[in-house]
Amino acid sequence: MPDSSPNHPLAVEARSRRRNEFLAFLVLAFGIWPLVAVGALGGYGFLVWMFQIVFGPPGPPAH
């Protein structure tokens, strides 16, 4: 029967893996994905801005 004490190597490994996964989640959730979102939104805004500089603003054509 395996030993289920907290000092058992498998228990320590599981705890370490859980901590690593939680830290990876925090880095993704509060670090990388917000930067990706801001970059994507900023890139889209830049494309719209450049399109309007080249082709003019939206709306009916000027007479």
Side-chain angles (χ1 to χ4, degrees):
M1 180 185 298
D3 184 14
S4 61
S5 69
N7 294 330
H8 190 267
L10 291 178
V12 172
E13 181 182 331
R15 206 172 28 232
S16 175
R17 182 173 180 194
R18 185 178 302 150
R19 182 171 188 261
N20 286 342
E21 287 181 359
F22 183 68
L23 288 174
F25 166 76
L26 289 178
V27 168
L28 285 170
F30 299 105
I32 294 176
W33 283 117
L35 291 175
V36 169
V38 168
L41 186 62
Y44 175 74
F46 182 78
L47 287 175
V48 169
W49 180 48
M50 284 293 118
F51 181 84
Q52 289 181 356
I53 285 177
V54 172
F55 296 105
H63 294 310

